[in-house]
Amino acid sequence: MRIVEVLDKKQQKDFLNIARVIYKDDSNYACPLDPEIEGIFNPEENSFFKHGEACRWVLQNEDGKVIGRIAAFINKNKAFSFDQPTGGCGFFECVNDKTAAFTLFDTAKEWLKNRGMEAMDGPVNFGENDNHWGLLVDGFMPQGYGMPYHQKYYREFFEEYGFKVFFEQYSYHLDMTKPFPERFWKIAGWIAKKPGFTFEHFTYKNSEKYIQDLIAIYNEAWKFHDNFSPIDPEDIRKMVRDGKNIVEEEFIWFAYHEGNPIAFFVMMPDINQILIKMDGKFNFWSKLKFLYYLKRKTITRARITVMGVAPKYQRFGVESAIFWHMDKVMKRKPHYKEVELSWVGDFNPKMVSIYESVGGVKKKTHFTYRHLFDPNKPFKRTPIIPLENRGTKAKEKKVVESEE
């Protein structure tokens, strides 16, 4: 076997195509767009290169055929905030061969060790943890956009190599054809109409206002959490620009108390229902194909990616009131039949409770693993978030980011 660092266009193509080979007979797999994956490894597109570095490889067999891939990265803003300096590995794909898998893990490990790391998390992303984060271990069904899909045998590879579960990630599904539980509905309606509280959805016309409101809420909600770092406004602006043809303005909500922003909620159409037809390509014809399916209302699912509530208002039931408003929106868009609530960590029982209170059913489980290079050091899982510090967030990003 031969490890090859990805440095030229042919190797980039090999890195992308091996995933198509691994999942060619799996009807659940929606191949991410090639430009999206390449953008993660492009310093001009990924702001995490401002405070980090990344490298990726493909693995060839004796005949020169590509049989696997992996990437490794260091986020210097986070790496040294743990008991041991921690990097990350991700974008792992491999044929069903343990020797090949371990060769890939060894490669990422050595690269990280040579840069002073003593542990690696995986599989994770070189970016925010709402995308490409965690290993699917239960719920082998079509995934929401951004949620990774994997082969079942990957779990054995990670655990036999020495990775241990750092935290579990749960995705809940909400059947929008069924009414919310009556008790939840009464509480949500009461909060939604309480004096001093107002709710409004995002508009592109006033996008900069909402970006600033989101940043204010985000920074206030997570400033006391471990590993917190303020959100970069330009990252949010880029997400808004990139999503302009996809975003439903009424799927993004903000709550205010006496005019001050106190909570936000972001839900996106699940474009995986279209991407599954495109095999990761995004050329001229595939763009036309995408727009065709988009106009035909092919998308029947949405995914809640993030919620945030300022600490002072975290026990007011504000998130319930947002669901109350969202339910009215969904009734005007009956082609949406299902909402994925993803993801919530096992370290955040408050959010688990909220998801279950609205009628969500746990459908998928991903694991984020950590591998300590020195097996004699004590392993610690992500701690449960104390009640007074719990942000209401679909994925609790930043709290648990060990490597982005």
Side-chain angles (χ1 to χ4, degrees):
M1 295 182 185
R2 175 171 174 256
I3 279 283
V4 179
E5 183 178 348
V6 175
L7 296 173
D8 60 29
K9 289 186 177 180
K10 180 186 181 304
Q11 293 151 1
Q12 290 173 1
K13 186 176 180 180
D14 288 342
F15 186 87
L16 296 169
N17 285 341
I18 184 58
R20 296 183 176 92
V21 173
I22 297 290
Y23 300 102
K24 65 179 180 178
D25 297 320
D26 195 328
S27 61
N28 288 326
Y29 178 69
C31 186
L33 293 173
D34 290 349
E36 175 188 336
I37 301 301
E38 283 303 301
I40 292 169
F41 298 97
N42 184 344
E44 295 182 3
E45 294 187 33
N46 187 349
S47 66
F48 281 74
F49 277 99
K50 296 176 183 177
H51 48 79
E53 56 182 315
C55 190
R56 53 181 169 156
W57 304 265
V58 292
L59 179 66
Q60 300 174 346
N61 65 10
E62 291 78 4
D63 298 324
K65 180 181 178 180
V66 176
I67 58 174
R69 75 181 192 190
I70 200 167
F73 14 78
I74 300 172
N75 173 5
K76 296 175 183 177
N77 285 352
K78 302 292 182 184
F80 302 96
S81 61
F82 302 97
D83 290 341
Q84 57 284 312
T86 302
C89 67
F91 301 92
F92 170 85
E93 303 289 357
C94 189
V95 297
N96 195 356
D97 183 317
K98 187 168 71 172
T99 300
F102 281 19
T103 299
L104 290 165
F105 292 148
D106 285 343
T107 301
K109 178 179 178 178
E110 287 305 308
W111 186 87
L112 291 168
K113 283 180 69 176
N114 290 338
R115 287 157 178 77
M117 299 296 103
E118 298 176 10
M120 67 177 171
D121 289 351
V124 297
N125 184 23
F126 190 46
E128 299 289 359
N129 65 5
D130 55 343
N131 288 321
H132 310 296
W133 202 282
L135 182 79
L136 180 67
V137 297
D138 185 51
F140 292 87
M141 60 182 73
Q143 302 292 302
Y145 176 71
M147 294 301 296
Y149 184 86
H150 297 111
Q151 292 286 4
K152 292 181 180 180
Y153 59 81
Y154 286 6
R155 179 176 182 176
E156 181 180 341
F157 289 163
F158 275 84
E159 295 182 359
E160 286 195 16
Y161 187 79
F163 284 91
K164 296 181 180 179
V165 178
F166 189 45
F167 57 84
E168 300 183 11
Q169 306 160 228
Y170 306 134
S171 294
Y172 284 74
H173 283 214
L174 188 61
D175 185 346
M176 297 308 298
T177 66
K178 297 179 180 179
F180 282 14
E182 185 176 349
R183 180 177 178 276
F184 172 86
W185 200 241
K186 288 181 179 179
I187 295 172
W190 177 74
I191 295 294
K193 299 174 182 178
K194 194 172 181 181
F197 289 84
T198 56
F199 300 83
E200 57 190 70
H201 66 78
F202 170 86
T203 64
Y204 269 96
K205 178 181 177 181
N206 296 312
S207 61
E208 187 60 29
K209 169 193 180 302
Y210 293 114
I211 289 171
Q212 295 303 322
D213 288 348
L214 185 149
I215 291 170
I217 298 162
Y218 184 94
N219 290 343
E220 179 66 21
W222 285 279
K223 67 182 179 181
F224 298 113
H225 291 174
D226 293 340
N227 310 313
F228 167 77
S229 61
I231 199 166
D232 186 340
E234 191 51 41
D235 285 345
I236 304 300
R237 293 188 186 104
K238 183 178 185 301
M239 292 171 62
V240 170
R241 290 194 302 269
D242 292 347
K244 191 160 189 178
N245 292 326
I246 302 166
V247 166
E248 297 255 16
E249 292 180 333
E250 291 183 297
F251 280 8
I252 302 174
W253 279 81
F254 289 81
Y256 300 85
H257 183 246
E258 297 180 348
N260 297 312
I262 62 170
F264 67 86
F265 167 104
V266 178
M267 184 167 75
M268 299 291 291
D270 184 5
I271 62 172
N272 264 7
Q273 289 183 286
I274 298 178
L275 297 187
I276 201 168
K277 308 173 188 295
M278 297 171 58
D279 197 31
K281 304 299 183 182
F282 208 52
N283 54 31
F284 175 77
W285 295 111
S286 61
K287 289 178 183 179
L288 290 180
K289 187 176 182 180
F290 182 90
L291 292 174
Y292 169 77
Y293 283 115
L294 192 64
K295 289 185 179 298
R296 286 178 59 87
K297 298 184 178 179
T298 302
I299 299 176
T300 61
R301 296 193 307 258
R303 179 189 168 207
I304 297 174
T305 60
V306 57
M307 295 176 66
V309 182
K312 182 180 177 181
Y313 298 92
Q314 286 178 4
R315 299 188 187 187
F316 279 65
V318 175
E319 64 277 359
S320 301
I322 292 176
F323 273 104
W324 187 86
H325 283 280
M326 271 305 308
D327 182 70
K328 298 181 183 303
V329 173
M330 300 303 275
K331 282 181 169 59
R332 296 197 300 271
K333 301 176 183 289
H335 59 287
Y336 285 100
K337 308 294 185 184
E338 185 179 18
V339 171
E340 178 170 300
L341 317 169
S342 63
W343 51 264
V344 59
D346 61 349
F347 49 81
N348 189 357
K350 177 182 177 182
M351 272 306 302
V352 170
S353 177
I354 290 173
Y355 282 180
E356 293 176 349
S357 73
V358 300
V361 178
K362 188 193 297 184
K363 291 284 190 177
K364 302 162 188 169
T365 300
H366 291 74
F367 286 171
T368 291
Y369 290 101
R370 175 164 290 183
H371 174 57
L372 303 184
F373 300 162
D374 183 350
N376 295 316
K377 289 190 175 181
F379 179 85
K380 299 178 183 178
R381 286 191 58 150
T382 296
I384 301 297
I385 302 173
L387 182 60
E388 62 275 14
N389 289 335
R390 286 178 196 156
T392 307
K393 201 169 187 189
K395 55 187 177 2
E396 280 304 321
K397 50 193 271 192
K398 303 298 182 186
V399 179
V400 296
E401 282 176 344
S402 54
E403 185 52 48
E404 299 176 45

